[in-house]
Amino acid sequence: MILMEHIVREGHPALRTRAEEMKFPLSETDRELSEDLMEYVINSQDPDLSLEFGLRPGIGLAAPQLNISKRVFALHIESEDNEAISFIAINPKIISHSVEKTYLAAGEGCLSVDRDVEGYVPRYARITIKAYDTEGNEFKKRLKGLAAIAFQHELDHLNGVMFFDHIDKNKPYKDIPGATPFERD
């Protein structure tokens, strides 16, 4: 089980390195890694497990955050219509995106960052993604709102980019042209 002590923090070189593509069929180690990422985000959202194991709640976790240079992450989110968006994305890509931008009105956070970072992080409002599941099956999804924001945040981890790299250092709350803020309930 992944615990907070396994998650590398801001400043660790793994968070600034482009992760390697995964090969299929997955090794048992890679399959377990994928499942462990999903287990963490699900467990971290359970108030009892979160308290018992000292887990910070998260909706996404990427392999580089565990100091593992592999292109895989897990997302587990309740969407606006209360349907769970929950999947493991291996070798993920954004294949198209909206012109319209969005950002989390309250700002983004990260399990690898132990401080509050103020500012707006511009993201595409809607994206179409392509990735592979643990069996090597390709899938496509259209994501919007929080799911689109979270996917882009985790994809950045696979490319060695941190969310605060997108924030204007001089004007962190600067208006983002063509962007609609996303407010989470």
Side-chain angles (χ1 to χ4, degrees):
M1 180 173 166
I2 296 170
L3 301 173
M4 286 304 299
E5 65 200 51
H6 301 123
I7 297 174
V8 299
R9 301 305 203 281
E10 178 179 11
H12 193 285
L15 297 173
R16 291 299 189 179
T17 304
R18 182 176 171 80
E20 302 290 323
E21 293 271 322
M22 292 179 73
K23 306 268 188 279
F24 290 98
L26 293 182
S27 67
E28 190 56 36
T29 302
D30 286 348
R31 182 179 301 279
E32 286 174 15
L33 166 64
S34 302
E35 291 165 1
D36 288 349
L37 292 168
M38 180 58 78
E39 180 187 50
Y40 179 90
V41 288
I42 291 171
N43 288 348
S44 76
Q45 293 177 41
D46 179 305
D48 295 331
L49 290 174
S50 179
L51 185 63
E52 180 181 351
F53 294 105
L55 308 177
R56 270 181 46 205
I59 57 175
L61 186 63
Q65 292 178 273
L66 302 176
N67 193 22
I68 299 171
S69 183
K70 304 242 170 140
R71 295 188 74 78
V72 58
F73 63 76
L75 284 183
H76 183 74
I77 306 166
E78 293 292 324
S79 68
E80 297 87 86
D81 52 9
N82 289 326
E83 278 187 36
I85 296 171
S86 189
F87 60 89
I88 294 167
I90 298 172
N91 300 336
K93 292 178 173 45
I94 294 173
I95 56 175
S96 68
H97 61 78
S98 62
V99 172
E100 181 190 359
K101 298 275 182 97
T102 190
Y103 56 90
L104 284 178
E108 288 187 24
C110 180
L111 294 169
S112 292
V113 178
D114 291 331
R115 62 189 174 97
D116 287 333
V117 179
E118 294 193 2
Y120 296 146
V121 181
R123 303 285 188 188
Y124 298 115
R126 292 175 308 284
I127 56 175
T128 301
I129 64 98
K130 181 171 76 171
Y132 295 87
D133 65 17
T134 56
E135 300 303 316
N137 300 310
E138 183 179 274
F139 64 89
K140 287 183 181 178
K141 289 183 180 290
R142 287 192 171 137
L143 304 174
K144 63 180 182 174
L146 185 59
I149 292 168
F151 187 96
Q152 291 167 83
H153 178 110
E154 298 307 326
L155 185 61
D156 275 352
H157 277 305
L158 304 186
N159 294 322
V161 176
M162 297 295 284
F163 75 93
F164 49 75
D165 296 342
H166 298 290
I167 298 172
D168 185 312
K169 307 290 179 264
N170 299 318
K171 295 183 180 174
Y173 292 104
K174 166 175 101 173
D175 187 50
I176 301 167
T180 305
F182 181 85
E183 310 236 7
R184 193 168 182 191
D185 299 333

